[in-house]
Amino acid sequence: MNDNEHFSILLIEDDELDQEKMTRAVKRLGIDNPLLFANDGLEALELLRSENAAGQIGDRVVILLDLNMPRMNGHEFLVELRQDEHLKRIPVFVMSTSDRPTDINLAYDNQVTGYVTKPYSMQDTYHTIEALHRFWTCLRIPTFGY
């Protein structure tokens, strides 16, 4: 593993089935990056801003973000994230069931790194996560924190 591959993956997703699909895909593909979960945007921001964030996440993270969640949805999360000096450079990939142009455009307006429509089958999930992981390991992921 080269130095750039040391990062955590934060899945912001309220659906337990989608969380389980992600866990299975990461395990099956042999991806050894730490996988963390938040059930909505507020929980994710609390985690990212916590005093123990470095201990839980490390100094590099890639976010997989659902859009439709309670309390704070994905679009609201993106606005808040991009306004935070310590968090605004974190790469975010939206993974949503929505393929509406308004959702896609709004996500890119808030500087997402990519937008993927959620795969329905487990096999498609494996292919999607494998492709994303190959891409992530080529990125120069910025550090974040205080």
Side-chain angles (χ1 to χ4, degrees), residues 70-99:
R71 296 194 319 155
M72 178 184 274
N73 69 37
H75 290 302
E76 294 165 333
F77 169 80
L78 283 169
V79 168
E80 185 76 19
L81 184 80
R82 296 308 184 214
Q83 291 175 352
D84 187 308
E85 280 300 312
H86 303 288
L87 306 176
K88 68 182 181 181
R89 291 178 193 86
I90 295 174
V92 177
F93 294 82
V94 170
M95 187 177 279
S96 176
T97 57
S98 174
D99 61 358

PDB file of all heavy atoms in Angstrom, residues 70-99:
ATOM      1  N   PRO A  70     -32.683  11.690   7.016  1.00  0.00           N
ATOM      2  CA  PRO A  70     -33.382  12.545   7.988  1.00  0.00           C
ATOM      3  C   PRO A  70     -32.426  13.564   8.611  1.00  0.00           C
ATOM      4  O   PRO A  70     -31.224  13.507   8.393  1.00  0.00           O
ATOM      5  CB  PRO A  70     -33.855  11.533   9.043  1.00  0.00           C
ATOM      6  CG  PRO A  70     -32.865  10.415   8.959  1.00  0.00           C
ATOM      7  CD  PRO A  70     -32.453  10.339   7.503  1.00  0.00           C
ATOM      8  N   ARG A  71     -32.968  14.454   9.361  1.00  0.00           N
ATOM      9  CA  ARG A  71     -32.275  15.514  10.115  1.00  0.00           C
ATOM     10  C   ARG A  71     -31.472  16.453   9.220  1.00  0.00           C
ATOM     11  O   ARG A  71     -31.753  17.626   9.166  1.00  0.00           O
ATOM     12  CB  ARG A  71     -31.384  14.951  11.224  1.00  0.00           C
ATOM     13  CG  ARG A  71     -32.146  14.221  12.291  1.00  0.00           C
ATOM     14  CD  ARG A  71     -31.384  13.949  13.550  1.00  0.00           C
ATOM     15  NE  ARG A  71     -30.019  13.543  13.383  1.00  0.00           N
ATOM     16  CZ  ARG A  71     -29.089  13.717  14.317  1.00  0.00           C
ATOM     17  NH1 ARG A  71     -29.386  14.288  15.470  1.00  0.00           N
ATOM     18  NH2 ARG A  71     -27.851  13.290  14.126  1.00  0.00           N
ATOM     19  N   MET A  72     -30.466  15.957   8.523  1.00  0.00           N
ATOM     20  CA  MET A  72     -29.687  16.776   7.587  1.00  0.00           C
ATOM     21  C   MET A  72     -29.409  15.926   6.354  1.00  0.00           C
ATOM     22  O   MET A  72     -28.684  14.949   6.418  1.00  0.00           O
ATOM     23  CB  MET A  72     -28.372  17.248   8.215  1.00  0.00           C
ATOM     24  CG  MET A  72     -27.501  18.061   7.254  1.00  0.00           C
ATOM     25  SD  MET A  72     -25.894  18.539   7.928  1.00  0.00           S
ATOM     26  CE  MET A  72     -26.348  20.046   8.779  1.00  0.00           C
ATOM     27  N   ASN A  73     -30.003  16.336   5.227  1.00  0.00           N
ATOM     28  CA  ASN A  73     -29.820  15.550   4.006  1.00  0.00           C
ATOM     29  C   ASN A  73     -28.444  15.820   3.376  1.00  0.00           C
ATOM     30  O   ASN A  73     -27.671  16.639   3.858  1.00  0.00           O
ATOM     31  CB  ASN A  73     -30.971  15.791   3.020  1.00  0.00           C
ATOM     32  CG  ASN A  73     -30.968  17.180   2.412  1.00  0.00           C
ATOM     33  OD1 ASN A  73     -29.929  17.760   2.119  1.00  0.00           O
ATOM     34  ND2 ASN A  73     -32.160  17.728   2.221  1.00  0.00           N
ATOM     35  N   GLY A  74     -28.175  15.128   2.296  1.00  0.00           N
ATOM     36  CA  GLY A  74     -26.866  15.237   1.658  1.00  0.00           C
ATOM     37  C   GLY A  74     -26.547  16.617   1.121  1.00  0.00           C
ATOM     38  O   GLY A  74     -25.410  17.085   1.231  1.00  0.00           O
ATOM     39  N   HIS A  75     -27.526  17.283   0.533  1.00  0.00           N
ATOM     40  CA  HIS A  75     -27.276  18.633   0.005  1.00  0.00           C
ATOM     41  C   HIS A  75     -26.967  19.605   1.141  1.00  0.00           C
ATOM     42  O   HIS A  75     -26.051  20.420   1.035  1.00  0.00           O
ATOM     43  CB  HIS A  75     -28.468  19.125  -0.806  1.00  0.00           C
ATOM     44  CG  HIS A  75     -28.660  18.407  -2.104  1.00  0.00           C
ATOM     45  ND1 HIS A  75     -27.690  18.346  -3.082  1.00  0.00           N
ATOM     46  CD2 HIS A  75     -29.716  17.707  -2.588  1.00  0.00           C
ATOM     47  CE1 HIS A  75     -28.148  17.651  -4.116  1.00  0.00           C
ATOM     48  NE2 HIS A  75     -29.364  17.244  -3.832  1.00  0.00           N
ATOM     49  N   GLU A  76     -27.723  19.514   2.225  1.00  0.00           N
ATOM     50  CA  GLU A  76     -27.470  20.385   3.384  1.00  0.00           C
ATOM     51  C   GLU A  76     -26.093  20.096   3.980  1.00  0.00           C
ATOM     52  O   GLU A  76     -25.370  21.023   4.354  1.00  0.00           O
ATOM     53  CB  GLU A  76     -28.553  20.172   4.448  1.00  0.00           C
ATOM     54  CG  GLU A  76     -29.935  20.608   4.003  1.00  0.00           C
ATOM     55  CD  GLU A  76     -31.044  20.077   4.887  1.00  0.00           C
ATOM     56  OE1 GLU A  76     -30.889  19.009   5.519  1.00  0.00           O
ATOM     57  OE2 GLU A  76     -32.100  20.749   4.943  1.00  0.00           O
ATOM     58  N   PHE A  77     -25.726  18.823   4.038  1.00  0.00           N
ATOM     59  CA  PHE A  77     -24.413  18.430   4.535  1.00  0.00           C
ATOM     60  C   PHE A  77     -23.305  19.049   3.685  1.00  0.00           C
ATOM     61  O   PHE A  77     -22.335  19.589   4.206  1.00  0.00           O
ATOM     62  CB  PHE A  77     -24.279  16.902   4.547  1.00  0.00           C
ATOM     63  CG  PHE A  77     -22.878  16.429   4.805  1.00  0.00           C
ATOM     64  CD1 PHE A  77     -22.373  16.386   6.094  1.00  0.00           C
ATOM     65  CD2 PHE A  77     -22.061  16.039   3.751  1.00  0.00           C
ATOM     66  CE1 PHE A  77     -21.071  15.960   6.336  1.00  0.00           C
ATOM     67  CE2 PHE A  77     -20.760  15.608   3.980  1.00  0.00           C
ATOM     68  CZ  PHE A  77     -20.266  15.570   5.281  1.00  0.00           C
ATOM     69  N   LEU A  78     -23.456  18.983   2.367  1.00  0.00           N
ATOM     70  CA  LEU A  78     -22.432  19.527   1.466  1.00  0.00           C
ATOM     71  C   LEU A  78     -22.233  21.028   1.681  1.00  0.00           C
ATOM     72  O   LEU A  78     -21.099  21.512   1.698  1.00  0.00           O
ATOM     73  CB  LEU A  78     -22.797  19.257   0.008  1.00  0.00           C
ATOM     74  CG  LEU A  78     -22.549  17.846  -0.492  1.00  0.00           C
ATOM     75  CD1 LEU A  78     -23.204  17.628  -1.850  1.00  0.00           C
ATOM     76  CD2 LEU A  78     -21.054  17.560  -0.564  1.00  0.00           C
ATOM     77  N   VAL A  79     -23.321  21.758   1.834  1.00  0.00           N
ATOM     78  CA  VAL A  79     -23.223  23.206   2.059  1.00  0.00           C
ATOM     79  C   VAL A  79     -22.429  23.466   3.339  1.00  0.00           C
ATOM     80  O   VAL A  79     -21.504  24.279   3.364  1.00  0.00           O
ATOM     81  CB  VAL A  79     -24.621  23.854   2.126  1.00  0.00           C
ATOM     82  CG1 VAL A  79     -24.542  25.289   2.639  1.00  0.00           C
ATOM     83  CG2 VAL A  79     -25.286  23.816   0.748  1.00  0.00           C
ATOM     84  N   GLU A  80     -22.779  22.761   4.405  1.00  0.00           N
ATOM     85  CA  GLU A  80     -22.107  22.936   5.690  1.00  0.00           C
ATOM     86  C   GLU A  80     -20.635  22.524   5.604  1.00  0.00           C
ATOM     87  O   GLU A  80     -19.752  23.214   6.118  1.00  0.00           O
ATOM     88  CB  GLU A  80     -22.832  22.111   6.761  1.00  0.00           C
ATOM     89  CG  GLU A  80     -22.318  22.295   8.150  1.00  0.00           C
ATOM     90  CD  GLU A  80     -22.758  23.602   8.797  1.00  0.00           C
ATOM     91  OE1 GLU A  80     -23.742  24.221   8.349  1.00  0.00           O
ATOM     92  OE2 GLU A  80     -22.088  24.007   9.759  1.00  0.00           O
ATOM     93  N   LEU A  81     -20.364  21.404   4.959  1.00  0.00           N
ATOM     94  CA  LEU A  81     -18.995  20.911   4.825  1.00  0.00           C
ATOM     95  C   LEU A  81     -18.120  21.909   4.076  1.00  0.00           C
ATOM     96  O   LEU A  81     -17.000  22.205   4.485  1.00  0.00           O
ATOM     97  CB  LEU A  81     -18.994  19.566   4.093  1.00  0.00           C
ATOM     98  CG  LEU A  81     -17.646  18.865   3.962  1.00  0.00           C
ATOM     99  CD1 LEU A  81     -17.310  18.138   5.264  1.00  0.00           C
ATOM    100  CD2 LEU A  81     -17.671  17.882   2.810  1.00  0.00           C
ATOM    101  N   ARG A  82     -18.626  22.432   2.972  1.00  0.00           N
ATOM    102  CA  ARG A  82     -17.837  23.338   2.132  1.00  0.00           C
ATOM    103  C   ARG A  82     -17.613  24.696   2.777  1.00  0.00           C
ATOM    104  O   ARG A  82     -16.720  25.433   2.381  1.00  0.00           O
ATOM    105  CB  ARG A  82     -18.485  23.500   0.750  1.00  0.00           C
ATOM    106  CG  ARG A  82     -18.526  22.206  -0.054  1.00  0.00           C
ATOM    107  CD  ARG A  82     -17.174  21.534  -0.147  1.00  0.00           C
ATOM    108  NE  ARG A  82     -17.207  20.341  -0.988  1.00  0.00           N
ATOM    109  CZ  ARG A  82     -16.476  19.270  -0.763  1.00  0.00           C
ATOM    110  NH1 ARG A  82     -15.640  19.214   0.244  1.00  0.00           N
ATOM    111  NH2 ARG A  82     -16.561  18.231  -1.567  1.00  0.00           N
ATOM    112  N   GLN A  83     -18.397  25.041   3.796  1.00  0.00           N
ATOM    113  CA  GLN A  83     -18.206  26.303   4.511  1.00  0.00           C
ATOM    114  C   GLN A  83     -17.228  26.168   5.670  1.00  0.00           C
ATOM    115  O   GLN A  83     -16.834  27.168   6.255  1.00  0.00           O
ATOM    116  CB  GLN A  83     -19.552  26.827   5.027  1.00  0.00           C
ATOM    117  CG  GLN A  83     -20.466  27.278   3.919  1.00  0.00           C
ATOM    118  CD  GLN A  83     -21.841  27.676   4.428  1.00  0.00           C
ATOM    119  OE1 GLN A  83     -22.191  27.482   5.588  1.00  0.00           O
ATOM    120  NE2 GLN A  83     -22.641  28.235   3.533  1.00  0.00           N
ATOM    121  N   ASP A  84     -16.834  24.945   5.992  1.00  0.00           N
ATOM    122  CA  ASP A  84     -15.946  24.698   7.120  1.00  0.00           C
ATOM    123  C   ASP A  84     -14.496  24.683   6.629  1.00  0.00           C
ATOM    124  O   ASP A  84     -14.114  23.834   5.826  1.00  0.00           O
ATOM    125  CB  ASP A  84     -16.303  23.358   7.767  1.00  0.00           C
ATOM    126  CG  ASP A  84     -15.541  23.100   9.049  1.00  0.00           C
ATOM    127  OD1 ASP A  84     -14.290  23.200   9.038  1.00  0.00           O
ATOM    128  OD2 ASP A  84     -16.190  22.770  10.053  1.00  0.00           O
ATOM    129  N   GLU A  85     -13.683  25.613   7.132  1.00  0.00           N
ATOM    130  CA  GLU A  85     -12.287  25.741   6.687  1.00  0.00           C
ATOM    131  C   GLU A  85     -11.485  24.463   6.868  1.00  0.00           C
ATOM    132  O   GLU A  85     -10.567  24.199   6.106  1.00  0.00           O
ATOM    133  CB  GLU A  85     -11.601  26.883   7.448  1.00  0.00           C
ATOM    134  CG  GLU A  85     -11.913  28.243   6.897  1.00  0.00           C
ATOM    135  CD  GLU A  85     -11.492  28.405   5.445  1.00  0.00           C
ATOM    136  OE1 GLU A  85     -10.348  28.049   5.080  1.00  0.00           O
ATOM    137  OE2 GLU A  85     -12.323  28.900   4.659  1.00  0.00           O
ATOM    138  N   HIS A  86     -11.807  23.666   7.869  1.00  0.00           N
ATOM    139  CA  HIS A  86     -11.035  22.463   8.162  1.00  0.00           C
ATOM    140  C   HIS A  86     -11.497  21.241   7.374  1.00  0.00           C
ATOM    141  O   HIS A  86     -10.763  20.264   7.279  1.00  0.00           O
ATOM    142  CB  HIS A  86     -11.093  22.154   9.657  1.00  0.00           C
ATOM    143  CG  HIS A  86     -10.603  23.275  10.503  1.00  0.00           C
ATOM    144  ND1 HIS A  86      -9.271  23.617  10.589  1.00  0.00           N
ATOM    145  CD2 HIS A  86     -11.272  24.160  11.284  1.00  0.00           C
ATOM    146  CE1 HIS A  86      -9.141  24.657  11.383  1.00  0.00           C
ATOM    147  NE2 HIS A  86     -10.331  25.012  11.814  1.00  0.00           N
ATOM    148  N   LEU A  87     -12.694  21.307   6.821  1.00  0.00           N
ATOM    149  CA  LEU A  87     -13.285  20.135   6.176  1.00  0.00           C
ATOM    150  C   LEU A  87     -13.563  20.309   4.688  1.00  0.00           C
ATOM    151  O   LEU A  87     -13.845  19.331   3.995  1.00  0.00           O
ATOM    152  CB  LEU A  87     -14.602  19.764   6.877  1.00  0.00           C
ATOM    153  CG  LEU A  87     -14.560  19.558   8.385  1.00  0.00           C
ATOM    154  CD1 LEU A  87     -15.962  19.308   8.924  1.00  0.00           C
ATOM    155  CD2 LEU A  87     -13.615  18.439   8.763  1.00  0.00           C
ATOM    156  N   LYS A  88     -13.473  21.515   4.189  1.00  0.00           N
ATOM    157  CA  LYS A  88     -13.979  21.816   2.849  1.00  0.00           C
ATOM    158  C   LYS A  88     -13.249  21.104   1.709  1.00  0.00           C
ATOM    159  O   LYS A  88     -13.786  21.005   0.615  1.00  0.00           O
ATOM    160  CB  LYS A  88     -13.981  23.320   2.609  1.00  0.00           C
ATOM    161  CG  LYS A  88     -12.614  23.962   2.516  1.00  0.00           C
ATOM    162  CD  LYS A  88     -12.762  25.458   2.337  1.00  0.00           C
ATOM    163  CE  LYS A  88     -11.429  26.142   2.204  1.00  0.00           C
ATOM    164  NZ  LYS A  88     -11.605  27.595   2.058  1.00  0.00           N
ATOM    165  N   ARG A  89     -12.065  20.584   1.937  1.00  0.00           N
ATOM    166  CA  ARG A  89     -11.311  19.929   0.858  1.00  0.00           C
ATOM    167  C   ARG A  89     -11.517  18.417   0.798  1.00  0.00           C
ATOM    168  O   ARG A  89     -10.949  17.745  -0.048  1.00  0.00           O
ATOM    169  CB  ARG A  89      -9.829  20.230   1.015  1.00  0.00           C
ATOM    170  CG  ARG A  89      -9.496  21.680   0.745  1.00  0.00           C
ATOM    171  CD  ARG A  89      -8.017  21.984   0.962  1.00  0.00           C
ATOM    172  NE  ARG A  89      -7.809  23.409   1.002  1.00  0.00           N
ATOM    173  CZ  ARG A  89      -7.928  24.168   2.098  1.00  0.00           C
ATOM    174  NH1 ARG A  89      -8.226  23.626   3.249  1.00  0.00           N
ATOM    175  NH2 ARG A  89      -7.743  25.463   2.044  1.00  0.00           N
ATOM    176  N   ILE A  90     -12.313  17.878   1.697  1.00  0.00           N
ATOM    177  CA  ILE A  90     -12.531  16.428   1.724  1.00  0.00           C
ATOM    178  C   ILE A  90     -13.240  15.990   0.439  1.00  0.00           C
ATOM    179  O   ILE A  90     -14.274  16.555   0.077  1.00  0.00           O
ATOM    180  CB  ILE A  90     -13.375  16.020   2.952  1.00  0.00           C
ATOM    181  CG1 ILE A  90     -12.607  16.313   4.241  1.00  0.00           C
ATOM    182  CG2 ILE A  90     -13.761  14.540   2.868  1.00  0.00           C
ATOM    183  CD1 ILE A  90     -13.411  16.073   5.511  1.00  0.00           C
ATOM    184  N   PRO A  91     -12.702  14.993  -0.254  1.00  0.00           N
ATOM    185  CA  PRO A  91     -13.379  14.486  -1.453  1.00  0.00           C
ATOM    186  C   PRO A  91     -14.697  13.797  -1.087  1.00  0.00           C
ATOM    187  O   PRO A  91     -14.737  12.970  -0.170  1.00  0.00           O
ATOM    188  CB  PRO A  91     -12.393  13.470  -2.034  1.00  0.00           C
ATOM    189  CG  PRO A  91     -11.103  13.680  -1.328  1.00  0.00           C
ATOM    190  CD  PRO A  91     -11.419  14.333  -0.023  1.00  0.00           C
ATOM    191  N   VAL A  92     -15.754  14.167  -1.782  1.00  0.00           N
ATOM    192  CA  VAL A  92     -17.082  13.605  -1.531  1.00  0.00           C
ATOM    193  C   VAL A  92     -17.626  13.034  -2.833  1.00  0.00           C
ATOM    194  O   VAL A  92     -17.633  13.712  -3.869  1.00  0.00           O
ATOM    195  CB  VAL A  92     -18.057  14.679  -0.996  1.00  0.00           C
ATOM    196  CG1 VAL A  92     -19.455  14.094  -0.802  1.00  0.00           C
ATOM    197  CG2 VAL A  92     -17.541  15.301   0.291  1.00  0.00           C
ATOM    198  N   PHE A  93     -18.063  11.800  -2.747  1.00  0.00           N
ATOM    199  CA  PHE A  93     -18.740  11.142  -3.853  1.00  0.00           C
ATOM    200  C   PHE A  93     -20.177  10.898  -3.430  1.00  0.00           C
ATOM    201  O   PHE A  93     -20.421  10.260  -2.412  1.00  0.00           O
ATOM    202  CB  PHE A  93     -18.085   9.800  -4.192  1.00  0.00           C
ATOM    203  CG  PHE A  93     -16.702   9.930  -4.731  1.00  0.00           C
ATOM    204  CD1 PHE A  93     -15.621  10.094  -3.889  1.00  0.00           C
ATOM    205  CD2 PHE A  93     -16.479   9.900  -6.100  1.00  0.00           C
ATOM    206  CE1 PHE A  93     -14.333  10.216  -4.381  1.00  0.00           C
ATOM    207  CE2 PHE A  93     -15.203  10.031  -6.604  1.00  0.00           C
ATOM    208  CZ  PHE A  93     -14.124  10.187  -5.742  1.00  0.00           C
ATOM    209  N   VAL A  94     -21.129  11.418  -4.192  1.00  0.00           N
ATOM    210  CA  VAL A  94     -22.533  11.156  -3.914  1.00  0.00           C
ATOM    211  C   VAL A  94     -22.864   9.786  -4.478  1.00  0.00           C
ATOM    212  O   VAL A  94     -22.488   9.454  -5.605  1.00  0.00           O
ATOM    213  CB  VAL A  94     -23.445  12.240  -4.537  1.00  0.00           C
ATOM    214  CG1 VAL A  94     -24.907  11.837  -4.450  1.00  0.00           C
ATOM    215  CG2 VAL A  94     -23.214  13.581  -3.856  1.00  0.00           C
ATOM    216  N   MET A  95     -23.576   8.998  -3.667  1.00  0.00           N
ATOM    217  CA  MET A  95     -24.096   7.713  -4.117  1.00  0.00           C
ATOM    218  C   MET A  95     -25.574   7.715  -3.742  1.00  0.00           C
ATOM    219  O   MET A  95     -25.926   7.501  -2.586  1.00  0.00           O
ATOM    220  CB  MET A  95     -23.355   6.541  -3.476  1.00  0.00           C
ATOM    221  CG  MET A  95     -23.774   5.208  -4.061  1.00  0.00           C
ATOM    222  SD  MET A  95     -22.846   3.821  -3.383  1.00  0.00           S
ATOM    223  CE  MET A  95     -21.353   3.939  -4.363  1.00  0.00           C
ATOM    224  N   SER A  96     -26.417   8.000  -4.731  1.00  0.00           N
ATOM    225  CA  SER A  96     -27.838   8.220  -4.477  1.00  0.00           C
ATOM    226  C   SER A  96     -28.697   7.439  -5.465  1.00  0.00           C
ATOM    227  O   SER A  96     -28.252   7.124  -6.569  1.00  0.00           O
ATOM    228  CB  SER A  96     -28.143   9.715  -4.606  1.00  0.00           C
ATOM    229  OG  SER A  96     -29.520   9.970  -4.455  1.00  0.00           O
ATOM    230  N   THR A  97     -29.931   7.177  -5.072  1.00  0.00           N
ATOM    231  CA  THR A  97     -30.880   6.575  -6.010  1.00  0.00           C
ATOM    232  C   THR A  97     -31.379   7.614  -7.008  1.00  0.00           C
ATOM    233  O   THR A  97     -31.903   7.258  -8.055  1.00  0.00           O
ATOM    234  CB  THR A  97     -32.090   5.973  -5.271  1.00  0.00           C
ATOM    235  OG1 THR A  97     -32.711   6.993  -4.480  1.00  0.00           O
ATOM    236  CG2 THR A  97     -31.683   4.795  -4.407  1.00  0.00           C
ATOM    237  N   SER A  98     -31.199   8.877  -6.693  1.00  0.00           N
ATOM    238  CA  SER A  98     -31.689   9.941  -7.564  1.00  0.00           C
ATOM    239  C   SER A  98     -30.787  10.129  -8.781  1.00  0.00           C
ATOM    240  O   SER A  98     -29.578  10.290  -8.661  1.00  0.00           O
ATOM    241  CB  SER A  98     -31.751  11.272  -6.806  1.00  0.00           C
ATOM    242  OG  SER A  98     -32.094  12.324  -7.688  1.00  0.00           O
ATOM    243  N   ASP A  99     -31.422  10.116  -9.944  1.00  0.00           N
ATOM    244  CA  ASP A  99     -30.702  10.470 -11.164  1.00  0.00           C
ATOM    245  C   ASP A  99     -31.288  11.750 -11.770  1.00  0.00           C
ATOM    246  O   ASP A  99     -31.093  12.038 -12.939  1.00  0.00           O
ATOM    247  CB  ASP A  99     -30.709   9.313 -12.167  1.00  0.00           C
ATOM    248  CG  ASP A  99     -32.103   8.913 -12.613  1.00  0.00           C
ATOM    249  OD1 ASP A  99     -33.099   9.503 -12.132  1.00  0.00           O
ATOM    250  OD2 ASP A  99     -32.205   7.997 -13.445  1.00  0.00           O
TER     251      ASP A  99
END
